[in-house]
Amino acid sequence: GPAGCPRTEPLSGSGQEPLFRGADRYDFAVVIPAGTVECFWQFAHQSGNFFFSYEVQRATGIANSRTILATASDPSGFQLGVSQHVRGQINFLTKETGFYQLCLDNQQNHFGFMQVYLNFGVYYEGFDVENKQPEEQKELNDTLGAIEVSIRKLQLNIFHMWRFYNFARMRKGADSFLLESNYNYVNWWSMAQSCVIVLSGVLQLYFLKRLFNGQTSGRQKC
């Protein structure tokens, strides 16, 4: 990728050194400046389940639109999915090993930034792709086999519960910013209306006072 763009799993400099592994799952919030595109790269092995979900928590600017364009591409540059909404998700199977590109496009908003919460990564069957045992070591009895299947199901359920928890965090953050924005809007609008009411009363009193002053001076001349 371009210089300065983050990669989740950089390759080792020497061929004898092991591959430096990053995390398989990430969740964080990022600020996308106005009129820019922010990209990330996630390393994934072949035959993995890739997931990418996002939600725009807050947006600034004239139109105040929270719609953003999200894309996902494979290591060859082929686009695997597109989503243009306030929130969305892109899921696909990884057919080759390499860095998968995830981009957020805020070019339609030229006057404000967006804060986007991201949750992306990859998971594999059994959640272990590098510690696969040889076939001769997998000849276990029925009890250990059943325990292994149960543990894998438990890990899968825990993983999906972690994803649902992150979805809830996304919505909670977006609702919190929306509530704060509405609170500030109501306070400023109430203050402005109060100032208008007070100003209109002062102006009415001033014009009425001038009217009576003019009538008094006219009678004295007569």
Side-chain angles (χ1 to χ4, degrees), residues 23 33 36-37 46 88 95 99 108 117 130 140 186 198:
T36 60
V37 179
Q46 190 178 9
K95 296 182 179 180
F99 288 94
Q108 292 185 353
Y117 191 92
E130 292 195 357
L140 304 175
V186 171
V198 173

Side-chain angles (χ1 to χ4, degrees), residues 4 11 66 98 114 146-149 194 201 204:
L11 296 176
R66 294 172 55 201
M114 287 187 180
I147 293 175
E148 183 180 5
V149 172
S194 300
Q204 288 179 359

